[in-house]
Amino acid sequence: MNESDWRLMGQDEYLKGVHLNKINPTNYSKQLEQPELWHEHCEFCMEKIDGNCDGICYITDDKYRFICKQCYEDFKDDFKWTVD
């Protein structure tokens, strides 16, 4: 892990080895009560994740923490995530 990466701010304390779910943010937001108001931010780069995002992102089982596709690719080996 490159400790000098600006995106690393102690996330290993709560994200190392966790299980993630791969989701489509557009489909995920449609399941919510007010999809037009929903948005989250990547735990690493703070990129906005919302129902207008194309592609995929990752979410923890508790649906509390989100990781964008790029940060997932950059940190998946170091954090040893498992994914469904």
Side-chain angles (χ1 to χ4, degrees), residues 3 7-16 44 79:
E3 298 296 329
R7 298 172 293 173
L8 295 173
M9 299 170 277
Q11 296 96 327
D12 57 320
E13 293 180 21
Y14 56 90
L15 284 176
K16 194 156 200 162
F44 293 90
F79 279 77

Side-chain angles (χ1 to χ4, degrees), residues 46-81:
M46 299 308 291
E47 176 182 321
K48 185 176 180 181
I49 298 171
D50 64 13
N52 297 318
C53 290
D54 289 332
I56 60 168
C57 71
Y58 298 84
I59 185 173
T60 53
D61 284 342
D62 62 5
K63 298 184 171 106
Y64 187 70
R65 301 190 189 280
F66 291 76
I67 302 166
C68 73
K69 183 179 179 180
Q70 184 61 55
C71 290
Y72 171 80
E73 291 297 327
D74 291 347
F75 299 118
K76 65 183 178 183
D77 294 331
D78 294 325
F79 279 77
K80 300 178 183 355
W81 292 314

